[in-house]
Amino acid sequence: MQLFPCPFCGPREESEFQYGGEAGNLRPDRDVTAERWADYLHMRDNPKGPTREIWVHMTCGEFFAMSRDSVNHKVSGSSVLGDVEHGR
Amino acid sequence: MTRHYSALSLFKEGIAGQTGWVKAWRSPDPKPRYDAIIIGGGGHGLATAYYLAKNHGVTNVALLEKGWIGGGNTGRNTTVVRSNYFYPESAAIYGLAHSLYKTLSKDLNYNVMLSQRGILTLAHSEAAMETAARSVNAIQVNGIDCELFSLEDVRRVVPIYNFSPDARYPVYGGTWQPSGGTARHDAVAWGYARAASRLGVDIIQNCEITDFIIENGRCRGVVTSRGAIRAERTGMAVAGHSSVLAAKAGFRLPVNSYALQACVSEPVKPIVDTVVISPDTSVYVSQSDKGELVIGGALDRIPSYGQRGNLPVLEGVIAGMLEMFPIFGQLKMMRQWAGIVDVVPDSSPIIGESPLPGLFLNCGWGTGGFKAIPAGGTLLAHLLATGQHHDVSRPFDLDRFASGRLIDEAAGSGIAH
Amino acid sequence: MSASRLAAGGSDIDRDRPLTFTFDGRRVEGFAGDTIASALLAGGQTVVGRSFKYHRPRGIWGSGVEEPNALVDVEGAAGRVPNARATTVQAADGITVRSVNASPTAENDRNAVLDRFARFLPAAFYYKTFMWPDWHLFEPRIRAMAGLGVVDSDWQPRKVSDQVNHHCDVLVVGAGPAGLAAAASAAAAGHSVVLADDGAHPGGSLRHRAGEVDGVEGKAWVEVTVAGLKGAGQLVLSDTTAFGLYDHNLVALNQRHADGRPDTLWRVRPRRIVLATGAIERPVPFANNDLPGILSADAALSYLRRHGVLVGREVVVATNNDSAYEPALALAAAGASVTVVDCRRDGGAQAKTRIRVLAGRTVAAARGRSAVQGVLLDEGTTLAADCVLISGGWTPTVHLFSQAKGKLAWSDQLAAFIPGEAIGEIAVAGAVAGTVSLSDALASGAAAPGDFGSSSPAPRGTGTEATLGVVSLWPKPKARGRVWVDYQSDVTARDVELAARENFVSVEHLKRYTTLGMATDQGKTSNLNGLALLADITGRGIPDVGTTTYRPPFTPVPFASLAGSRRGSMHVPVRRLPLEANHRRAGGVFQEYGGWLRPAYYGGGEADASIQEEARRARQSVALFDGSTLGKIEVIGPRAAEFVDFIYYNTMSTLKPGHCRYGFMLSENGVVFDDGVLVRLDEHRFIVSCSSSHVAAVHARLEEWRQDRFGRDAVYIHNATAQYATLTVSGPNARQVMEALDLGVALDDASLPHMAVAAGRFAGDEVRIARVSFTGDRSYEISIRADRAEALWARMQQEGRAFDAVLLGLESLMILRAEKGYIVIGKDTDGTTMPHDLGVAGPRTKRADEFVGRRSLFTEAANGTDRNRLVGLAVREGEAPLATGAHGVEKRDGRLRSIGFVTSSYQSPALGRPVALALIERGPARHGETIDVQHLGVVRQATIVAPCALDPEGRRLHA
């Protein structure tokens, strides 16, 4: 059971959270090419190692950004969504 | 020297003290150049090597494995083999795999212990029975054996299920693929390795890819921990690492990597004769020939490359398993593990040339890779040998994500694996 | 073997409390405090089980969790436990113990003959044969032979296992000297401590090995220390195995209870972890080293001192280290004749009297058939023996450290892997860290808590200190005879050689190919010997060979512990209606729908007939329906209108306050995710009424888009679903019933037209009335505070009586809506269905603004003409309904193919014929066409029609 730091509630168990996608995957403007849309919709960096992701703490309903390592699962921090992380 | 496997050779070696057996596969040093390179020594990579040599006569092939062959998901799965798929495209690919599995032991001269014990997917409500009927009809139209089971049928096949009137997950019936079952996962890897090696393929372990050799926009080989190796065509079948290699090659894939966990009980005398899947608990159970209950569940919920089990997901899986089979409350879990699976939005594989010409993909099998090994190998071998899609692999090209022609089996199977 | 109980001694047993049980039908006597193993030994039971593969006779090897041989099925008051480890399960009066993998008994096993064919059955032989004619011919017999214990198929679940979450400053695993020192140090520093030990009593080696701590006899120091910890309120858990060390330092422990309660799962989250897990004695390789009567020297000492059992009278001790001498001397003192065969030329220098030492000698082979009778030394001498104790050195119990991804380091001095560089807040202490002497163990323990420890001096060993002086004594290639490496899996040194010859030289390949280390003991005694042999064969150093991956659990864990209370109705609990009791009184028959328990139909009659009758009466006069599960999510704020425009496929901002509109929500991939009615209460306030089973998911998506795109100040979202009950009046006489309810709302069509909303009052409470319909008849949905719904429902039934009102279950509602061609998302749509497939193409072509999923509606696939689209299907007069799930089929190029499927199909009582909805390829363009429909191989014909079969003009909505 991992502990994730909700910026609003503090550390909570992983089962209270849901993954919301890679940070910085900004929604493109309308009428983009099919390839660009597919890129937004489907293509992922899926990094092995340090990663920055959007998560939602389901018990408070807030989305936030979290930095962690996808291999050793160490969490290095979390923050309220800034402009850069907006995007799913 | 004994090379052929049979009851007779085993007997002769028994007399001789088992001293005549030779290496199951050779471990040569890599050459600087091959006709084709296969990255990944799991089932799919090894099968690709074998079919390249057997179907296409391409034997000057290097198979490069970072660790030891069969050490990734091939050696970590729950060994289920089935082909009961909803969409014709899926039925074609898994049907191809299934038909090759049926003769694989003889083809490879290696007993992969294909055990066609049948696969039962339960339906826990009237609505689920309707969905089951939809699946069964689709699968039958696809020309694959599948039956709609009534409650009585389920009672006959798994009498130890929880049929109590107040069961949390009552059974209304289910779908049954009689030809489904399990195969011995390690044997599939080793059998392909042995057969490919005999046909001349170089299987090179402990050889990690550090980079691709890209010239004039084409992939012309790889740089490895054991030196540069060149070839005009390179295939990759590296489940759990597809995005990592894609990044080295300069493109992204529609892949998220997650841990998929499984566990086994201590071995007990035969008690479950088939593979039982409960869509509502996401749990499936079978019993290995060693007597261990093999238990799997849904994916972890946190993207991860950590190849290890955890507690919360395990607890959920076990709780679900005990709702299905309360009598297993007397048993103990013996071993828990995880593999990293590459999950694609439509849970169907990606097969075809990558955005880097000369590099061909076989990835994204998610939780369903083991059952597809012979097909994945056949199709990637076809691509490497001809540069062209096999008819069966065409729908699974990476281009489907832009065209929207996804092949999402979620409708066809209660739990995709 | 002639093990026996001595007349006195045994610190663990209470000779005043005798007990008896049976083993393989034979009566066994013991005392309270005995393990099953110690009682079996005391009773002279030499053969206690049969090995997995060859059915070799096997005896007790160890005295703890490492036991590879003594697995038994135990039948006690609490039911059966298959594959119990006899060395860790307490004996109890009246239990029935059976050996596993033996028939009829361990001593006389009819499959023992298999061992004679062992030469033809080497490691992995099964991959080389059974292929012709077919594996399926052989498999059933092999399967029947496999497995160890027997599952009791009449077993009944007992009380559920407790699961405890616990936080502490320091968790110490292992209550031997190091663990106790660590716990005492952390406690003295004022920190909260959990001390867990898998034995029945704390103390570890101090319970049976000599030692003095701070001038006090070891056992007395243990008692004082434990009492001190307990007195300070610290948690000391015995019979508790730490089996897993997971992410973020979560340690999972399984606690056994002697009183028959099911085991308890502890999830402990310490700030610091001290692993004082000790070490496990290794076997010594020689031929037939698996014979019953050959056991761990340390175990023999433990049985002597803790249970008063002398394991043999004529004892040979085979060793490569000093630790075997204490057992040798103790057994000699207890009356055994003891010869130590020490492979070291200078071995046994410290042994003074009573024992014979053969230094520089090794055992080449054990003699005997079903029990050891003697040994053959390397120089050819034969020694008679009824028991052989072996001590091949100590393997640190690094499992938890390795589970935490700690790297191991090879120690030549100890001939073993020990934990390498420390990781995070995980410390190791005592034998697992490689200490040998008591003083070193205590010192490393006291230091292990680090910042959580006290500065007071560590306890000191004051008696004779243990030494090890181990030299390696690994299995050798080409050794004569069958040298057993893994007892339970029946792996010999030759099997390891065979695997290496066949190129299975990776340690993981070795494990999988030979099954070395894959048995229930997970190779606790066998792994290192196997690795060392592989290293020798392949010319590598042991550290280069490495170890296999250590995975949880350290010892097998009951499934029941892991499941805990999540059983039956507590496993993913269903949601319940506020009026469930009322529906039950009215004869409601409940089923689960999308996580909700709802009335399927009412009345005790036959289901189909009841459902038909409800549907029929609903069209005649009036029907009452509890739709409380319907989502009610409020969207409020200055940009609420803009927000719902973005969320919905349909333009919603043009909706006038007091009105509602039906629409779709799409996923970003363009697929219809949910449908429902959006209510606009005022300029900045909407209510999203979503499908019952989608409420949580819709709420989550609304929040996501709100936070991602609109911001906290712009929109506020509140899920009020559970706060309101929604009760529906539907039918030609619905308005009359509504009038009678007297809700203070003008019900004429001008004031409250179809798709309008009004506020009223019932018994002082505000109610919201929405004129929306899922039946196709004039309908009113009344939403009221959930806790006040009962009176309203009673009143509705009361007023409905005059109109022969019928209660609708969900099943009859399904018929009514299907007659109208109204869809249910997830039933009449699938994961590919887009809005234009459902005949709602307008927004796709007309909307100029952006909304969720828009771009995906214009991919090549979305633009395709071959899409499955919603239609109705009609069958010939007099025919039965089509099967839901039947597929439309056609032949193309000689092959059968699906052209879609039936999603809903019912007998319509109003129409007197079946109605069906289906998703059919190019459906709407094929109205009037007759297609083949196949269900379970049977083909029927159906004609494609419009989805709406009843009142296509919609007159009934206003009737």
Side-chain angles (χ1 to χ4, degrees), chain A residues 1-3 8 20 27 30-34 37 40-41 61-63 72-73 75 80 86-88, chain C residues 247-248 250 269 646 668-669 700 703-705 707-709 712 848-856:
Chain A
M1 185 70 85
Q2 302 183 52
L3 293 178
F8 302 89
R27 194 174 196 271
R30 53 176 299 140
D31 299 329
V32 292
T33 63
W37 182 250
Y40 155 72
L41 210 51
E62 296 292 342
F63 286 74
N72 64 26
H73 296 169
V75 177
V80 177
H86 269 275
R88 301 168 357 99
Chain C
D247 284 332
H248 298 187
L250 182 79
R269 180 96 61 182
F646 183 70
E668 276 284 65
N669 64 4
E703 272 297 342
E704 185 173 3
W705 286 117
Q707 295 181 36
D708 181 54
R709 205 176 163 93
R712 287 166 220 289
D849 56 335
E850 187 60 5
F851 56 89
V852 175
R854 194 194 62 83
R855 181 62 184 85
S856 293

Side-chain angles (χ1 to χ4, degrees), chain C residues 376-388:
Chain C
L376 173 70
L377 299 189
D378 52 350
E379 32 68 306
T381 317
T382 302
L383 303 175
D386 64 359
C387 173
V388 176

Side-chain angles (χ1 to χ4, degrees), chain B residues 1 6 64-65 78 113 140 160 323 326 332 357 369 375:
Chain B
M1 301 290 260
S6 69
L64 310 180
E65 164 55 43
T78 48
M113 301 180 197
Q140 289 182 351
I160 59 164
E323 282 312 299
K332 298 191 274 303

Side-chain angles (χ1 to χ4, degrees), chain B residues 333-369:
Chain B
M333 177 184 78
M334 183 168 83
R335 198 163 52 240
Q336 173 196 13
W337 70 92
I340 301 304
V341 296
D342 289 342
V343 179
V344 173
D346 61 358
S347 296
S348 286
I350 299 167
I351 302 173
E353 192 160 17
S354 79
L356 176 64
L359 176 63
F360 296 84
L361 304 171
N362 169 4
C363 68
W365 292 94
T367 59

Side-chain angles (χ1 to χ4, degrees), chain B residues 95-280:
Chain B
L96 171 65
H98 204 49
S99 68
L100 289 168
Y101 258 124
K102 285 173 191 166
T103 57
L104 195 59
S105 292
K106 288 180 185 123
D107 292 348
L108 300 179
N109 181 229
Y110 206 96
N111 186 2
V112 302
M113 301 180 197
L114 177 70
S115 177
Q116 292 173 285
R117 331 191 57 74
I119 287 195
L120 176 63
T121 306
L122 298 169
H124 297 298
S125 65
E126 293 286 2
M129 279 302 281
E130 293 179 352
T131 311
R134 185 193 290 183
S135 291
V136 168
N137 287 320
I139 294 161
Q140 289 182 351
V141 168
N142 290 334
I144 285 166
D145 64 313
C146 192
E147 299 167 28
L148 188 66
F149 258 21
S150 66
L151 171 60
E152 286 64 41
D153 295 327
V154 175
R155 275 185 193 279
R156 176 170 48 79
V157 172
V158 251
I160 59 164
Y161 187 85
N162 180 8
F163 294 108
S164 128
D166 54 356
R168 178 69 186 83
Y169 301 101
V171 168
Y172 285 72
T175 71
W176 170 250
Q177 186 182 20
S179 68
T182 58
R184 173 80 193 128
H185 54 6
D186 290 330
V188 172
W190 301 336
Y192 272 120
R194 175 169 166 268
S197 178
R198 283 181 171 203
L199 292 172
V201 173
D202 284 358
I203 294 170
I204 298 155
Q205 299 183 96
N206 302 307
C207 181
E208 184 170 6
I209 308 301
T210 54
D211 212 346
F212 287 92
I213 302 171
I214 302 171
E215 291 167 359
N216 302 323
R218 273 192 74 84
C219 177
R220 303 210 182 262
V222 292
V223 183
T224 77
S225 54
R226 299 178 67 175
I229 304 172
R230 301 182 76 93
E232 283 309 298
R233 289 194 178 133
T234 300
M236 65 178 241
V238 291
H241 266 83
S242 307
S243 297
V244 177
L245 277 190
K248 287 186 197 298
F251 58 90
R252 302 204 298 170
L253 289 170
V255 165
N256 283 295
S257 295
Y258 288 90
L260 176 66
Q261 300 193 53
C263 67
V264 293
S265 75
E266 297 181 318
V268 289
K269 295 294 176 195
I271 185 78
V272 195
D273 200 39
T274 184
V275 184
V276 188
I277 301 169
S278 161
D280 286 22

Side-chain angles (χ1 to χ4, degrees), chain B residues 281-306:
Chain B
T281 61
S282 297
V283 172
Y284 56 102
V285 180
S286 65
Q287 188 172 17
S288 76
D289 285 341
K290 267 181 86 177
E292 299 156 350
L293 297 175
V294 182
I295 301 154
L299 281 177
D300 280 13
R301 297 167 54 256
I302 302 171
S304 172
Y305 285 93

